[in-house]
């Protein structure tokens, strides 16, 4: 129980919306093995962590709020989660359950538990909508991505954009190596991918599917609905050197790559 605690996550305040991040080797006391988001909770339901593997876990209220009760046989502690930048770390071996969900609640859970298979990713454009593992349960819905079990890459970082004001756009940049799964866990937004020769725009509005974005894609997000939350699962921890932030530089980079 001593290790059980809140962890304050970075909150990058920006007039184009806020961003928080959790990543291996930085603010996470374990390595990401799997991630899950739970939503559409039925009124009065409780959700036990037994579905999620029982290893070290980090619980975040991405939207709305709920209560987490943690037990270790003798004592029980209760925590209110209602901010996307305050995570609850639950070390392995403790049983916990979520309850008292607000109507818009989305619980994001990172777990040290991994999967054990692997599926290949094959697309030449560098962007495609992929269905994720979804399980409608009695209590609500859960979508999950386990490293080594259907995930196109091992997730080492998760970040999310929230409180994006109407009319703002985000993310006009490309990455040299980073692969990402982009999910609208709440609301909707558009994401335009540009490989230097062709542009495609996708509308994301379902928590149970993701847009898989390969490296070398210029990406722009806009058209955020009120309250929308964009969750990104990323293949690498944050590295400023992996960004290309100038469009002309991006076109030059693609020219070199395609030689
Ligand atoms: P950025 O990826 O540049 O988003 P956008 O292109 O939409 O502005 O991130 C915004 C800021 O947050 C930037 O200063 C870098 C910082 N940041 C981190 O420190 N870690 C992260 O994982 C991410 C995604 C961003």
């Amino acid at each position: 129980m001593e290790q059980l605690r809140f962890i304050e996550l970075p909150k990058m305040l920006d007039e184009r919306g806020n961003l928080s991040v959790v990543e291996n080797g930085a603010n996470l006391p374990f390595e990401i093995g799997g991630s899950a988001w739970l939503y559409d909770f039925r009124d009065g339901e409780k959700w036990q962590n037994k579905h999620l593997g029982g290893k070290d876990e980090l619980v975040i209220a991405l939207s709305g709020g709920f209560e987490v009760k943690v037990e270790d046989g003798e004592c029980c502690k209760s925590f209110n989660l209602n901010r996307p930048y305050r995570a609850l770390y639950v070390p392995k071996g403790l049983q916990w359950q979520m309850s008292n969900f607000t109507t818009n609640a989305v619980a994001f859970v990172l777990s040290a538990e991994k999967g054990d298979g692997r599926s290949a990713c094959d697309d030449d454009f560098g962007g495609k909508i992929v269905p994720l593992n979804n399980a409608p349960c009695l209590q609500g819905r859960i979508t999950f991505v386990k490293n080594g079990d259907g995930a196109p890459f091992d997730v080492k970082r998760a970040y999310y954009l929230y409180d994006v004001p109407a009319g703002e756009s985000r993310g006009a940049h490309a990455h040299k190596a980073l692969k990402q799964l982009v999910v609208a866990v709440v609301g909707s937004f558009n994401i335009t991918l540009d490989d230097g020769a062709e542009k495609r725009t996708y509308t994301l509005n379902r928590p149970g599917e993701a847009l898989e974005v390969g490296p070398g894609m210029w990406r722009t997000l806009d058209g955020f609905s009120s309250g929308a939350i964009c969750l990104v699962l990323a293949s690498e921890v944050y590295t400023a050197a992996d960004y290309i932030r100038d469009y002309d530089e991006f076109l030059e980079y693609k020219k070199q790559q395609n030689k």
Side-chain angles (χ1 to χ4, degrees), residues 19-160:
L19 184 154
S20 292
V21 56
V22 55
E23 60 186 330
N24 287 359
N27 51 3
L28 194 60
F30 56 88
E31 295 227 319
I32 299 172
S35 7
W37 42 106
L38 302 94
Y39 47 97
D40 289 352
F41 297 101
R42 295 221 186 140
D43 196 23
E45 286 294 348
K46 293 180 170 45
W47 203 312
Q48 305 274 350
N49 72 323
K50 63 180 182 213
H51 306 285
L52 301 168
K55 297 224 175 132
D56 280 0
E57 279 156 338
L58 193 79
V59 192
I60 301 168
L62 275 192
S63 167
F66 50 89
E67 189 182 353
V68 176
K69 280 193 190 129
V70 186
E71 288 173 40
D72 74 347
E74 295 136 40
C75 68
C76 178
K77 279 193 182 167
S78 175
F79 301 85
N80 277 319
L81 271 68
N82 53 21
R83 296 284 159 193
Y85 47 83
R86 183 166 304 126
L88 182 68
Y89 169 52
V90 190
K92 66 169 181 268
L94 297 178
Q95 292 298 312
W96 54 273
Q97 72 170 30
M98 298 183 276
S99 59
N100 289 331
F101 300 100
T102 62
T103 47
N104 58 343
V106 177
F108 182 47
V109 182
L110 288 167
S111 162
E113 174 88 8
K114 296 188 188 177
D116 49 13
R118 184 165 297 275
S119 71
C121 151
D122 53 349
D123 191 79
D124 51 0
F125 177 66
K128 65 175 173 190
I129 298 277
V130 290
L132 302 173
N133 294 308
N134 286 293
C137 307
L138 220 53
Q139 308 95 323
R141 301 182 70 83
I142 177 168
T143 301
F144 53 95
V145 173
K146 279 190 175 176
N147 291 355
D149 192 3
F153 50 81
D154 280 356
V155 175
K156 300 196 182 84
R157 171 170 58 120
Y159 67 89
Y160 35 94

Side-chain angles (χ1 to χ4, degrees), residues 10 12 14 16 19-23 157-161 169-173 175 180 219 221 232 234 236-240 243 245:
M12 289 156 214
D14 190 308
R16 300 164 307 133
L19 184 154
S20 292
V21 56
V22 55
E23 60 186 330
R157 171 170 58 120
Y159 67 89
Y160 35 94
L161 296 164
S169 62
R170 296 272 332 197
H173 63 244
H175 287 278
Q180 303 176 88
R219 67 197 236 328
L221 282 72
V232 182
E236 301 300 333
V237 297
Y238 176 75
T239 329
Y243 280 77
R245 291 195 181 272

